[in-house]
């Protein structure tokens, strides 16, 4: 096997792995990415390579960056993200860190602590096409949502 064939096999293996972790069938991923099922099957089996445009479509459909499909140094074990490896987000009077990494499709899972008066900052906090689950384990959190400020107060053991 030459170097190009090896690279195609590895790319295909990573695409298949992310697809399986996302719980998508081959047909569902192909439809979401706007590529044919036969092309995706050939890609996953190392029989063809993807153009940059196709790779971007596939990565978008999987909810990952194209680099994650190309870089084999990024290893993600299903369901395991060690505390020391968690990315964190600096906030005003708060601490927030990621509990899961892609490919969870449209769900972001975080944990954090907010000091009294702490917030995500003055800029609008957006997730693109993702959703975020929020569970209050103690205290009270006030959310202001949307352009027309909808105010929501969550108490201990409430979720949003």
């Amino acid at each position: 096997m030459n170097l190009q064939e090896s690279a195609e096999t590895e790319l295909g293996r990573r695409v298949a792995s992310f697809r399986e972790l996302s719980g998508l069938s081959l047909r569902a991923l192909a439809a979401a990415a706007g590529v044919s099922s036969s092309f995706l099957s050939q890609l996953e089996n190392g029989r063809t390579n993807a153009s940059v445009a196709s790779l971007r479509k596939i990565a978008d459909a999987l909810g990952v960056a194209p680099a994650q499909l190309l870089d084999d140094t990024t290893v993600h074990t299903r369901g395991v993200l060690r505390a020391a490896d968690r990315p964190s987000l600096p906030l005003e009077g708060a601490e927030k860190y990621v509990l899961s990494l892609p490919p969870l499709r449209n769900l972001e899972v975080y944990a954090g602590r907010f000091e009294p008066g702490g917030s995500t900052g003055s800029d609008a906090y957006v997730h693109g096409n993702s959703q975020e689950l929020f569970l209050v384990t103690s205290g009270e959190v006030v959310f202001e949502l949307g352009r027309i400020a909808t105010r929501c107060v969550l108490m201990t053991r409430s979720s949003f």
Side-chain angles (χ1 to χ4, degrees), residues 2 11 18 66 81 86 92 95 131 141 151-152 155 160:
N2 66 35
L11 173 61
F18 277 111
L81 177 59
R86 291 179 182 151
E92 298 172 14
E95 165 189 36
Q131 298 179 29
V141 176
R151 190 173 166 91
C152 179
M155 309 294 279
F160 177 75

Side-chain angles (χ1 to χ4, degrees), residues 36-120:
S36 72
S37 296
S38 61
F39 165 77
L40 188 58
S41 176
Q42 289 177 15
L43 179 67
E44 287 188 1
N45 289 302
R47 290 191 215 121
T48 191
N49 208 344
S51 68
V52 172
S54 295
L55 191 62
R56 282 188 174 173
K57 289 178 183 180
I58 293 166
D60 285 346
L62 289 168
V64 301
Q68 289 177 278
L69 298 178
L70 297 171
D71 182 7
D72 63 354
T73 62
T74 305
V75 177
H76 186 277
T77 305
R78 184 185 306 242
V80 177
L81 177 59
R82 309 243 183 258
D85 298 328
R86 291 179 182 151
S88 63
L89 303 164
L91 301 170
E92 298 172 14
E95 165 189 36
K96 185 174 176 182
Y97 51 92
V98 177
L99 292 180
S100 64
L101 294 175
L104 288 180
R105 300 193 39 160
N106 298 335
L107 178 66
E108 297 177 14
V109 183
Y110 296 92
R113 285 190 186 90
F114 287 77
E115 298 295 325
S119 78
T120 59

